[in-house]
Amino acid sequence: MKLATKVLSAALLPFLPFVGSAQTPATPPARKFQGQEPIKGVPTESKPVEKQIKAVFPFESEKVFLSNQFTAARLNAVSKKDDGVYDIHIKPENTPVNASPWYAFKVWSGNDKPVRFSFSYAGNVRHRYEPKVSKDRKHWQQLEAQTVNGIKLYEVKPGSDTLWIAAQELTTSSDVANWVSQLEKKKQVKSFSIGKSTLGKPIQAFSFGNSQSKNYLLVLGRQHPPEVTGHKALTAFVESLLSEGKDVSSFRKDFQIIVLPLLNPDGVDEGFWRHNAGGVDLNRDWSSFNQPETRAVRDYLKKEITEGEKLLAAIDFHSTHDDIYYTVTPEKKGNVPGLITNWLTQLTEKIPGYSPHIKPLYFEPPTYTSFSYLFETYGAESVVFEIGDSTDESFIQKKGKASAEALTQLLNEFIAK
Ligand SMILES: [Zn+2]
């Protein structure tokens, strides 16, 4: 029997490539990540958030020091276990909260001994982000875990130089402001602020393209603080829209592009897991508008997009467990029917072997999320562009560029009709 099977498989082998190549499988493999369940409403009136005590956490006898005294830090306590492992205690800003356990701290030591650490999260939330480490806060490397007795341990040798350790690369509101001012120096970008956050920080915005055009594209991001990979996808996408390609150049002649890169500056700078400084998930407040951040966007767009002007499309960048696009159900038609479906189809052609994971997530009001609000209010073809927490940097760049090329081609064709 065994022999017969062997002969059969060998005989079939030469024909296998015709059954389906690796790049275009006849049936795509089943996906592990199913995406999120339909969005439910939650109260979005402001709630208290717990203030994080900023301090140095000293272990004098071992000459090991940890600190959360910097922007976007999160470190609530440290305890030293019998085996010498430093257990990092992390708490969210308030509860209930989505399980995106952000952390960021510095560590240094008065000797060359390795420092081993583990993580404990309030509410038994599971570890989600593998630690990234940096000596200069610019270049980051992921730490590999060793699992001992079911506990993930990480080891660094900080020495007297400070090491930053964070759930994702640190990208604060000043980093975003620097990125915007770099763009402003080189390109025809106009930056401004559309209002203030709960703690009084500016909600940054910029625009480019043809300021006389009646056709708009809106790009928004970072409603949720830890979603740094989504921010990277946003920057890759926007930088491609500002590049010299033929399609993007003619796109800029015919469209106005508005970018709101960081809707939750307080949450980012306070090192929150999910919420704004009002203790609320901003991406559930697009029906009640209880928070200053969502109100600022609503009021700005009302003033900017007036009678006879059209918000053709809107892309909201996020991060989650794996790459996925959340769409408005295709049965609902907006300003450019079929745009999102055609766009995502083009992405499969531009990135060989890539099959986008697409899940309709908006069917009817109320509009708790920004993408559904923009669809219902403006007829904008809306999509949530989610990048995986661990998606490779080069793929994020490739996808950002391909996305910009495909979208501008389709919108150029649309207005040429
Ligand atoms: Zn998000």
Side-chain angles (χ1 to χ4, degrees):
M1 191 62 199
K2 249 186 186 167
L3 186 72
T5 317
K6 238 184 191 170
V7 171
L8 190 64
S9 337
L12 274 175
L13 260 177
F15 301 102
L16 276 177
F18 299 98
V19 177
S21 76
Q23 289 199 340
T24 48
T27 337
R31 295 186 194 271
K32 259 211 293 204
F33 176 58
Q34 297 300 310
Q36 76 168 71
E37 293 303 310
I39 308 249
K40 291 196 190 100
V42 292
T44 59
E45 289 86 12
S46 296
K47 290 192 295 182
V49 292
E50 197 178 315
K51 194 143 179 66
Q52 185 182 191
I53 295 160
K54 295 274 187 154
V56 173
F57 300 78
F59 293 85
E60 299 281 359
S61 52
E62 297 82 6
K63 296 197 171 73
V64 170
F65 304 87
L66 298 95
S67 164
N68 61 6
Q69 291 177 314
F70 60 98
T71 304
R74 177 137 301 248
L75 171 65
N76 299 97
V78 189
S79 60
K80 192 163 169 257
K81 298 193 278 197
D82 294 342
D83 54 3
V85 170
Y86 296 88
D87 197 35
I88 308 292
H89 299 247
I90 303 294
K91 279 164 82 175
E93 57 277 16
N94 63 0
T95 54
V97 67
N98 177 286
S100 329
W102 172 264
Y103 55 85
F105 55 93
K106 285 181 190 176
V107 58
W108 65 96
S109 153
N111 55 50
D112 298 334
K113 286 186 190 154
V115 172
R116 289 195 303 156
F117 59 94
S118 57
F119 291 95
S120 296
Y121 302 102
N124 285 326
V125 167
R126 282 173 56 179
H127 183 65
R128 173 164 168 183
Y129 305 107
E130 288 302 300
K132 322 293 181 291
V133 61
S134 175
K135 281 182 179 174
D136 57 6
R137 205 195 165 279
K138 279 187 202 138
H139 304 90
W140 296 83
Q141 234 186 338
Q142 188 168 310
L143 288 176
E144 295 305 321
Q146 289 171 284
T147 305
V148 178
N149 300 329
I151 295 171
K152 279 186 163 186
L153 299 181
Y154 303 88
E155 186 176 298
V156 288
K157 273 190 192 165
S160 57
D161 288 340
T162 294
L163 279 187
W164 276 270
I165 295 173
Q168 297 286 18
E169 297 178 16
L170 287 170
T171 311
T172 63
S173 67
S174 333
D175 295 315
V176 176
N178 286 339
W179 174 64
V180 176
S181 64
Q182 289 306 315
L183 291 180
E184 209 168 17
K185 268 184 217 158
K186 284 187 284 187
K187 315 272 179 181
Q188 292 182 347
V189 165
K190 205 181 100 209
S191 79
F192 52 101
S193 152
I194 59 161
K196 293 250 164 82
S197 68
T198 305
L199 298 180
K201 296 197 179 208
I203 297 169
Q204 304 177 51
F206 61 96
S207 64
F208 56 95
N210 176 356
S211 61
Q212 302 305 310
S213 168
K214 293 185 185 321
N215 294 312
Y216 285 82
L217 166 68
L218 176 68
V219 175
L220 50 159
R222 207 97 182 263
Q223 297 192 60
H224 300 137
E227 300 183 3
V228 176
T229 56
H231 174 72
K232 288 186 175 198
L234 180 148
T235 58
F237 178 77
V238 169
E239 284 169 12
S240 296
L241 289 182
L242 281 162
S243 69
E244 296 309 319
K246 199 170 120 266
D247 290 309
V248 290
S249 300
S250 69
F251 180 73
R252 289 197 302 270
K253 285 193 190 111
D254 291 327
F255 291 83
Q256 288 203 58
I257 302 101
I258 297 167
V259 185
L260 308 172
L262 173 53
L263 292 188
N264 188 1
D266 296 344
V268 166
D269 289 352
E270 297 294 310
F272 286 174
W273 289 17
R274 180 79 169 184
H275 297 154
N276 72 337
V280 164
D281 181 344
L282 289 178
N283 209 22
R284 299 293 178 273
D285 189 38
W286 296 84
S287 164
S288 311
F289 292 96
N290 284 316
Q291 298 303 315
E293 294 86 354
T294 47
R295 281 200 300 270
V297 180
R298 178 196 63 185
D299 296 348
Y300 163 72
L301 290 176
K302 265 192 193 153
K303 258 199 331 215
E304 180 65 34
I305 297 166
T306 51
E307 196 68 34
E309 300 187 314
K310 271 191 174 166
L311 181 59
L312 293 182
I315 309 170
D316 186 16
F317 285 88
H318 289 257
S319 307
T320 186
H321 297 279
D322 206 352
D323 291 24
I324 189 167
Y325 295 90
Y326 295 122
T327 59
V328 172
T329 180
E331 285 75 50
K332 284 182 154 271
K333 307 282 180 231
N335 291 333
V336 193
L339 177 73
I340 302 296
T341 311
N342 293 338
W343 180 39
L344 298 177
T345 307
Q346 285 214 2
L347 278 189
T348 42
E349 289 158 20
K350 285 186 181 285
I351 310 174
Y354 175 56
S355 90
H357 188 180
I358 303 163
K359 185 171 181 176
L361 205 63
Y362 179 67
F363 303 89
E364 56 180 9
T367 59
Y368 300 119
T369 58
S370 52
F371 92 112
S372 58
Y373 170 77
L374 295 165
F375 174 80
E376 284 293 347
T377 313
Y378 295 96
E381 302 297 342
S382 292
V383 68
V384 182
F385 192 123
E386 296 263 9
I387 284 282
D389 294 330
S390 310
T391 297
D392 179 65
E393 175 92 41
S394 62
F395 185 65
I396 294 178
Q397 292 298 328
K398 193 192 266 184
K399 206 166 150 180
K401 188 166 180 278
S403 303
E405 285 169 2
L407 189 70
T408 51
Q409 276 165 15
L410 289 167
L411 284 172
N412 287 343
E413 282 165 23
F414 175 75
I415 63 151
K417 269 183 206 159

